[in-house]
Amino acid sequence: MIREMAHITVKPGTQADFETGVRQALPIFHRARGCKRVELHHIIENPQQYVLMVYWETLDDHMVHFRQSEDFQAWRGLVGGYFEKAPEVVHSEVTLEA
């Protein structure tokens, strides 16, 4: 399982609209090949920051099948206008869990 972590900073005052956009985009993620789960985390210490966690079966499911799809463009259309800057995206896999 691959975890995509997108660190997102939104424009001041757009948090509620951004969260609505993410909520509207959930069906896009749920129909994406290899997408298992989506979480949106709001950073308490900085109200303009979020971490979007998407759990993928493989890295290609995200980077190839989703990122090169029309659904990715639909996702960005719903939320991209709220970004203060481009999201910083990294991927991880669990190497130890207790």
Side-chain angles (χ1 to χ4, degrees):
M1 179 83 53
I2 302 298
R3 288 172 175 88
E4 168 197 356
M5 293 174 283
H7 299 265
I8 300 168
T9 302
V10 298
K11 297 173 186 172
T14 65
Q15 291 90 334
D17 292 332
F18 170 72
E19 291 176 18
T20 297
V22 174
R23 196 170 292 108
Q24 291 172 340
L26 289 176
I28 293 170
F29 285 105
H30 290 149
R31 70 176 171 245
R33 174 179 167 172
C35 181
K36 296 300 182 189
R37 183 175 174 179
V38 178
E39 301 172 352
L40 182 64
H41 297 256
H42 190 217
I43 306 302
I44 294 168
E45 294 82 3
N46 187 335
Q48 287 178 249
Q49 291 185 349
Y50 292 85
V51 176
L52 177 70
M53 300 276 300
V54 185
Y55 296 73
W56 300 96
E57 284 184 20
T58 69
L59 185 60
D60 278 354
D61 285 337
H62 176 229
M63 296 302 295
V64 176
H65 305 292
F66 184 67
R67 292 288 297 262
Q68 296 177 15
S69 72
E70 290 181 17
D71 276 344
F72 178 74
Q73 298 306 318
W75 149 248
R76 290 304 285 261
L78 287 168
V79 298
Y82 305 114
F83 295 166
E84 185 167 81
K85 60 181 181 176
E88 297 176 25
V89 178
V90 296
H91 300 89
S92 71
E93 58 187 350
V94 174
T95 58
L96 177 65
E97 191 168 27

